[in-house]
Amino acid sequence: MKTKNLIFDLDGTLWDSRATIIKIWNKVLSKHQLIQKELKPEDMDQYMGLLAHDIVKDIIPGISDLQARELLSEIVAEENKTLHLEGGILYNGVEETLKSLANIYSLFIVSNCQDGYIESFLDYYQFNDLFIDFESHGRTQKNKSENIQLLIERNQLSTEDSVYIGDTQTDYNSAKSNGLLFIYCKYGFGKLSDPLYEPAITTFSELNVHISDITK
């Protein structure tokens, strides 16, 4: 069946926001004297795509759940405000490819990010008109697999003509649990357990050229 719907991950797939958000994490964690040295953008590579609560618990071993929630509330508020003003770095070819794909397919986003994060991405780059719908962990408190299912049901999508595009093993697992074909973005932050997995792309613009072949 011909592909009709493309569902995207965000971090490591459409953009790289590390340089923007790392400043916020350092500011908040330093304010509360919870880190001895500042985090670098590359320190966040291993965490991109994970739930923010799990990231805090790993960066600050022994922190209580209550303190983690309080820190996250502060970080999230600052992130959403700053990302609206500064944005992140789009991967090469994302803007023109999305605009081209939107003429043919229905586009969606499902991410493990906080509520307001996808909105910041869409607003900063004025992409709102390109996407039909989106869902996030921050809005539902559900995992990625469940959020993909929610989006599919809400928009009455068929799994047979829908594809999930992302860069991590979690993305792969979430797509497969919903019966979706998964396209792996090799340029992102994650690695798959199968290094030879196909279909895969090395640049985002390959979607525009090869989507028909990849999703046969």
Side-chain angles (χ1 to χ4, degrees):
M1 183 179 291
K2 183 179 179 181
T3 300
K4 296 180 180 178
N5 311 300
L6 305 180
I7 309 172
F8 294 92
D9 171 50
L10 182 47
D11 291 320
T13 300
L14 299 177
W15 77 346
D16 177 356
S17 64
R18 290 173 303 167
T20 301
I21 67 174
I22 199 69
K23 294 182 295 184
I24 298 163
W25 281 71
N26 282 325
K27 175 182 176 181
V28 174
L29 295 179
S30 296
K31 171 185 172 182
H32 294 279
Q33 300 181 329
L34 291 171
I35 54 172
Q36 296 181 344
K37 63 177 182 178
E38 289 194 344
L39 299 168
K40 299 177 182 179
E42 56 268 27
D43 292 331
M44 299 300 287
D45 288 7
Q46 61 186 310
Y47 300 122
M48 300 306 284
L50 301 181
L51 301 180
H53 182 271
D54 295 336
I55 298 173
V56 170
K57 297 283 281 189
D58 192 78
I59 291 177
I60 313 167
I63 190 173
S64 70
D65 286 338
L66 175 60
Q67 190 174 17
R69 287 195 297 270
E70 291 174 345
L71 280 172
L72 281 177
S73 179
E74 191 173 345
I75 290 170
V76 164
E78 190 66 28
E79 273 190 10
N80 290 343
K81 180 175 66 176
T82 303
L83 286 169
H84 262 103
L85 299 174
E86 299 181 19
I89 301 173
L90 289 180
Y91 288 109
N92 290 337
V94 166
E95 182 169 4
E96 54 268 38
T97 303
L98 285 177
K99 289 179 178 178
S100 176
L101 292 172
N103 292 322
I104 306 170
Y105 308 96
S106 294
L107 309 186
F108 304 87
I109 298 175
V110 175
S111 171
N112 269 342
C113 60
Q114 69 263 19
D115 190 20
Y117 188 86
I118 298 175
E119 294 90 328
S120 296
F121 166 77
L122 297 176
D123 290 345
Y124 184 81
Y125 288 104
Q126 299 181 8
F127 284 166
N128 284 283
D129 292 342
L130 299 181
F131 290 88
I132 305 298
D133 195 8
F134 59 84
E135 197 53 270
S136 67
H137 169 77
R139 190 158 69 175
T140 67
Q141 299 304 303
K142 296 180 181 295
N143 62 38
K144 180 165 285 186
S145 177
E146 293 172 307
N147 280 330
I148 291 174
Q149 183 179 8
L150 277 177
L151 183 133
I152 288 173
E153 292 175 350
R154 187 165 67 224
N155 292 277
Q156 299 181 317
L157 308 183
S158 168
T159 57
E160 294 181 356
D161 57 18
S162 302
V163 176
Y164 190 78
I165 301 160
D167 70 306
T168 68
Q169 187 68 41
T170 297
D171 293 337
Y172 170 88
N173 294 342
S174 299
K176 292 303 180 181
S177 69
N178 281 284
L180 299 179
L181 175 67
F182 175 71
I183 298 177
Y184 173 46
C185 300
K186 288 184 174 181
Y187 55 82
F189 300 120
K191 301 292 183 184
L192 298 188
S193 58
D194 177 5
L196 301 178
Y197 175 83
E198 295 288 345
I201 55 175
T202 56
T203 64
F204 191 83
S205 57
E206 289 178 28
L207 280 175
N208 199 27
V209 179
H210 301 301
I211 191 71
S212 295
D213 292 333
I214 289 174
T215 59
K216 279 183 178 178

